[in-house]
Amino acid sequence: MTTSSAPHDRPLPRTGGPGGEDDRAAPPPARGLPEPPGLGTARLLTTLSALLLSVVGFAATGIAVPDIGASLGATAAEQSLVVSVYASGFAIPMVLGGRLGDLYGRRRLFLLGMAGFTLFSLVATLAPGITVLIAARALTGVSAAAMVPQVLATITASTQGPERARAVALFGATAGGATAIGQVLGGVLLSVPLLGAPWRTVFAMSTLMGVLAFGAALRWLPDTRAPGHRSLDLIGTALLGLALLALMIPVSQGGALGRPVWCWALLGSTPVLFAAFWRRQSRLHRSDRVPLVPPPLFRLGSYRIGLVMALMLQSAFGGFTFLYAVSTQTGLGWSPLHAALVLLPFSLCFLTVSIWSGRLAPRFGFRRLLAVGGLTQAALLGVTAVAVWVQGAGLNPWAFAALLVGVGVGQALMFGPLVGAMIADVPPASAGAASGVLQTTQQAAMGLGVAVAGGLLGTALAGSTAPAGQAYTSALAIGMLVQAAFAIAFALCALALPRR
């Protein structure tokens, strides 16, 4: 077993300075400071496996939901719970998972989370009924919340300069590309019912991948942690959890439940709970105690603006993936495999350009790449939306796939460089908390995007007299235009990032 024995968490050197000309990659550390141990290819891929499994499993499950409903006799609300309880279980304890990794060792939390993810994926594979499946999916999400924050935290604590740029590019490629990969894998596995029902094969895949990733982590995953007092802000943890529950339950389940009054009451309480949480974090920081989320993180312009950009990017992408799946399968009658294969060129392009962006970041800077990515995606989304609107129910799948390749280029230039820009000034001692906040924001934004897209689709269908296929493609085209507007706002925010 190979691990790094000593923590290498220290503040990162700033690059450039106020008024500097660009946000180039970080220079070597100042003399006298120990260099991070580095990751290497095997360690980096092992670290990224947690992110890959969590996203691929989520995306593949979304494709499998109709088959789950038919096999287990689940209602529409129960089918939606299979997806939403995983997302909630994933997002709500994410910050706590990051903080626990900072304090007790990121390798330990990674292994515990991976073990839980694998075990509960096996329970889901063998679930005799919908209730057991829903419980297993919730616990799988909690397990993911333990392992996933350790990915970016380990990268931050173990790399710098060009190696960090490469690692962050692969992180972005994994985070975005795994969604499309999961949909493709889900479509393929649903056509291979090895375990009696096609959906069981999907969860069996997660189990097998979890076993392999756990074995790799035992061999290659390094151990880093943040020095300091081993204490947790339990009151702050409870306040943050309540705030996220008050936001995510109405967002994920409100539509299926008919949006009762209590859903609106929960939404109304969300800002109050977040404000109470933030006041407590500030008070703990002023008294030199250990908050769950260090307030100085939000004094970093790159991190603060980057969270807003992540909110826009993930909500728009979540809305697109939902509208695409529903419009193509329900509206146009495509099979899950057909819909997944149309996304395959987008996925491959996204992965390739994301990896390539790791080489571009040190040369051109994060601000330029992010602005170019946002404007590129906005332009190509506009062209694609017009094509979808004009073709309507007669949408040519291969022409659509070709247009999505261009969209993937812009998306790739947004995902990876954004993460790099956000962590550029984050001290490794706060890496777990920073990673947890970022990924909680991403998960909540995805849920919000799906909820808004669902409302858009319902409005389009209710007010349309056109054939069903035309109504669905019209909603998809409108959703893509909204996503293009978000991409323009994203590019403008990129220009507001610090020039480092």
Side-chain angles (χ1 to χ4, degrees):
M1 180 172 63
T2 304
T3 61
S4 56
S5 58
H8 294 265
D9 292 1
R10 54 175 176 76
L12 295 177
R14 289 183 181 271
T15 61
E21 291 304 318
D22 208 347
D23 47 345
R24 309 283 175 166
R31 186 175 299 174
L33 290 175
E35 291 190 6
L39 284 175
T41 301
R43 289 184 172 190
L44 176 58
L45 294 179
T46 299
T47 304
L48 290 171
S49 67
L51 181 63
L52 178 69
L53 262 67
S54 65
V55 178
V56 166
F58 177 77
T61 302
I63 292 288
V65 161
D67 188 65
I68 291 172
S71 174
L72 298 180
T75 65
E78 288 171 334
Q79 292 176 51
S80 67
L81 277 173
V82 172
V83 177
S84 63
V85 296
Y86 175 86
S88 299
F90 190 6
I92 291 169
M94 186 90 73
V95 177
L96 178 61
R99 186 63 182 147
L100 286 171
D102 286 344
L103 297 179
Y104 297 102
R106 293 163 187 141
R107 185 175 187 273
R108 178 181 299 176
L109 265 292
F110 185 104
L111 289 171
L112 286 173
M114 186 65 74
F117 186 93
T118 305
L119 173 63
F120 295 122
S121 293
L122 177 60
V123 174
T125 303
L126 304 175
I130 191 65
T131 302
V132 174
L133 179 60
I134 290 171
R137 291 301 292 163
L139 292 171
T140 306
V142 172
S143 301
M147 66 180 184
V148 171
Q150 317 317 322
V151 177
L152 189 56
T154 299
I155 289 172
T156 304
S158 304
T159 62
Q160 66 175 10
E163 185 184 11
R164 177 176 293 182
R166 170 176 169 261
V168 167
L170 285 171
F171 178 93
T174 304
T179 299
I181 290 173
Q183 291 177 328
V184 172
L185 274 177
V188 172
L189 291 173
L190 286 171
S191 63
V192 187
L194 297 178
L195 300 175
W199 63 268
R200 296 188 188 275
T201 311
V202 171
F203 294 120
M205 172 204 65
S206 293
T207 305
L208 176 59
M209 292 174 66
V211 170
L212 295 175
F214 186 86
L218 285 174
R219 174 68 178 86
W220 285 299
L221 191 71
D223 191 15
T224 62
R225 69 188 70 204
H229 300 292
R230 294 194 173 189
S231 61
L232 282 175
D233 174 21
L234 296 180
I235 295 176
T237 300
L239 284 172
L240 180 60
L242 289 172
L244 289 169
L245 277 172
L247 173 65
M248 296 192 70
I249 288 177
V251 165
S252 63
Q253 291 298 303
L257 298 173
R259 305 203 183 277
V261 174
W262 62 264
C263 277
W264 297 107
L266 280 179
L267 280 177
S269 69
T270 299
V272 176
L273 290 167
F274 274 120
F277 167 76
W278 187 247
R279 282 198 299 270
R280 177 168 177 80
Q281 301 308 289
S282 300
R283 186 166 61 249
L284 289 177
H285 180 69
R286 288 194 301 267
S287 60
D288 291 327
R289 296 164 67 189
V290 183
L292 184 66
V293 177
L297 273 179
F298 294 90
R299 296 176 194 153
L300 301 173
S302 55
Y303 191 79
R304 186 176 62 250
I305 297 172
L307 279 179
V308 176
M309 296 168 70
L311 179 65
M312 291 189 291
L313 179 60
Q314 291 295 128
S315 59
F317 186 59
F320 167 75
T321 56
F322 171 80
L323 286 173
Y324 173 82
V326 175
S327 298
T328 55
Q329 294 182 56
T330 304
L332 299 179
W334 296 357
S335 69
L337 181 59
H338 183 185
L341 288 176
V342 170
L343 273 186
L344 184 59
F346 167 88
S347 176
L348 295 176
C349 176
F350 184 99
L351 288 171
T352 303
V353 177
S354 293
I355 296 169
W356 182 50
S357 71
R359 300 178 182 177
L360 296 178
R363 181 177 179 183
F364 296 103
F366 293 121
R367 296 172 72 250
R368 292 176 184 172
L369 279 183
L370 291 168
V372 168
L375 294 176
T376 300
Q377 191 187 49
L380 292 170
L381 278 169
V383 172
T384 308
V386 171
V388 171
W389 185 283
V390 170
Q391 293 184 38
L395 181 64
N396 185 305
W398 309 119
F400 188 36
L403 289 170
L404 287 177
V405 167
V407 175
V409 172
Q411 190 94 340
L413 293 177
M414 297 163 76
F415 260 98
L418 176 60
V419 177
M422 290 184 68
I423 68 171
D425 294 331
V426 172
S430 299
S435 176
V437 171
L438 168 60
Q439 289 164 326
T440 297
T441 300
Q442 290 176 323
Q443 289 297 313
M446 286 279 283
L448 181 62
V450 170
V452 172
L456 170 65
L457 181 61
T459 301
L461 293 176
S464 175
T465 58
Q470 181 69 50
Y472 276 100
T473 54
S474 296
L476 177 60
I478 293 171
M480 296 180 79
L481 290 175
V482 172
Q483 189 180 2
F486 272 69
I488 293 173
F490 181 98
L492 295 175
C493 286
L495 298 177
L497 287 169
R499 288 180 175 269
R500 296 194 182 99

